[in-house]
Each structure stands twice: as structure tokens, then as C-alpha cells.
Amino acid sequence: MAKQPKRIQKWTGDVAATHPLEDAIKLVKANANAKFDETVEIAVNLGVDPRHADQQVRGVVSLPSGTGRDVRVAVIAKDAKAEEAKAAGAEVVGAEDLVERIQGGFMDFDRVIATPDMMALVGRLGKVLGPRGLMPNPRVGTVTPNVGQAVKDAKGGAIEFRVEKAGIVHAGIGKASFTEEQLIANVKALVDALNKAKPSGAKGTYVKKVSLSSTMGPGFKVDASSLGV
């Protein structure tokens, strides 16, 4: 049997047990021993079937402690709204020219925001941005006339969440270098947003399982009762 890498040999904690949120975060931080600042990730298994329209879960939440990463924002707007986006710190701003660049393979951004009057143009990008989860959508605040605030929110810790086919929501909720208190605040903010986004078609237990891990570390199960759900 092949010998495990030293990084894995250093892992500690019971991955089979269910831990209170505070203990799970301590274990995740203790096992984040890669040579870079690992992202702390959460996986929430929801009691929904996304195949049904009335069981979709999607939204946006501002993490109180931020994400710990530099979010590159592209804004599809023109005239005064384009200038507003630039002033707010958007890295890439344009209209027809930006749409053409994206169609040509330009993807040097993490979030796309558009003004409502640009949606006829943005519609051309569905096949490019849709599979990457980057298509602007008014439900998550990325189609808005208030582009300046949307850019600031994206850079300040706002993240989108969307349930996957298996009924799971995955999200990065900070960095391993964050304090335990910062990570706890971010987890609770996301779970609270998921509860508020509970669809009408959800039956039975809504938040079924929760686990936390770092990019290169093991996953630890979280006791849902410690999340207030």
C-alpha cells in the first residue's frame, strides 16, 4: 500500500463524528496545512429536489467577514453606468465590445454584472457564462441599475449560492487564516440566507447535512443544531 503524503499524515480529528460548529471550524483550521492560505468550504445537503421548479434554491448573501479573496468584476454597461462601475472598482467594463471579447474566449473575471438595458446583448452569452455560473441574473442582484453598489458588494464579500442537482449547496466561506469567530459568522450568515430562501416545495427536513473542509483538508460533519436550524 502506498505511503500517505506527510500532509495527510498530519491530519487530526474524527471525520466520522458530528461536531458542533465551533469544534468543526477548529478542526478545519488545524488541518489546513498546505503551503497556501486554503479556502474554507461548506457543503449543505438540503431536503429539496432541484428538478422541480418549486424546489429551486438560489440567492446571494453578504458574508460579514468577507471572502478573503480578490474578486474580479466585469460589468456590461454603457455611458454613465459604465463610469459608475469603473468608479466602484470594476476591473473590466464595456458593452458590445466586452460581449464580443467574452464570446471570443475572454474570461478574466469572477463575477459579471449587467444593467437591465444590456440584457439583449447579455443573452448572447448564455452558452458561455451559464455553465460557469456567471450569467447575470436579477434574482441574485447581478442585473441591476445600481451597478456601483453591486460592484462594491461583490468585492466586499457578497457570494452567490445555488443548489446543485444532488440537492447540495457548495460555497467558499473564508480562508483558513480567518479567526474562528470570522468563520463562524460567515457560516451562520450563509445558513440564515439558505433558510430565508427555502422554497415552497420543500418538505420534511430542510437542512439535512452540513460539512466543512479546507481546500486540501478533510471534511468534518457539523451538528445542524449548533447552527440554529
Side-chain angles (χ1 to χ4, degrees), residues 106-143:
F106 175 72
M107 293 295 295
D108 194 16
F109 47 79
D110 306 298
R111 187 76 57 86
V112 182
I113 296 167
T115 53
D117 60 311
M118 291 283 102
M119 289 311 293
L121 280 173
V122 175
R124 304 176 190 172
L125 303 175
K127 292 182 179 180
V128 179
L129 299 180
R132 295 175 170 83
L134 293 172
M135 192 67 178
N137 189 305
R139 289 180 60 188
V140 295
T142 48
V143 176

Side-chain angles (χ1 to χ4, degrees), residues 80-102:
K81 292 299 179 181
E83 295 304 314
E84 180 183 333
K86 292 176 183 177
E91 281 77 7
V92 187
V93 181
E96 291 88 348
D97 57 327
L98 179 52
V99 170
E100 290 177 2
R101 289 177 67 192
I102 294 172

Side-chain angles (χ1 to χ4, degrees), residues 6 19 22 50 56 61 80 109 136 166 185 188 195 216-217:
K6 291 182 180 179
H19 307 272
E22 292 80 1
Q56 292 292 320
V61 58
F109 47 79
K188 289 187 175 180
N195 278 322
M216 304 292 287

Side-chain angles (χ1 to χ4, degrees), residues 87-226:
E91 281 77 7
V92 187
V93 181
E96 291 88 348
D97 57 327
L98 179 52
V99 170
E100 290 177 2
R101 289 177 67 192
I102 294 172
Q103 286 179 313
F106 175 72
M107 293 295 295
D108 194 16
F109 47 79
D110 306 298
R111 187 76 57 86
V112 182
I113 296 167
T115 53
D117 60 311
M118 291 283 102
M119 289 311 293
L121 280 173
V122 175
R124 304 176 190 172
L125 303 175
K127 292 182 179 180
V128 179
L129 299 180
R132 295 175 170 83
L134 293 172
M135 192 67 178
N137 189 305
R139 289 180 60 188
V140 295
T142 48
V143 176
T144 174
N146 302 316
V147 291
Q149 188 60 51
V151 171
K152 292 176 182 177
D153 289 344
K155 288 183 166 294
I159 63 168
E160 295 180 33
F161 58 84
R162 184 175 186 175
V163 68
E164 301 171 0
K165 291 181 180 180
I168 300 173
V169 171
H170 287 100
I173 48 88
K175 294 290 185 178
S177 60
F178 280 21
T179 65
E180 294 172 16
E181 291 74 17
Q182 288 175 315
L183 291 171
I184 289 171
N186 280 358
V187 169
K188 289 187 175 180
L190 175 61
V191 172
D192 183 56
L194 288 174
N195 278 322
K196 290 178 179 177
K198 183 178 179 179
S200 59
K203 306 297 181 183
T205 303
Y206 179 53
V207 178
K208 298 174 69 176
K209 296 179 183 178
V210 180
S211 65
L212 289 170
S213 64
S214 61
T215 305
M216 304 292 287
F220 293 96
K221 301 173 186 177
V222 180
D223 180 0
S225 65
S226 66

Side-chain angles (χ1 to χ4, degrees), residues 20-30 180 183-184 187 212:
L21 175 60
E22 292 80 1
D23 292 349
I25 285 177
K26 288 178 181 178
L27 288 167
V28 169
K29 284 174 61 65
E180 294 172 16
L183 291 171
I184 289 171
V187 169
L212 289 170

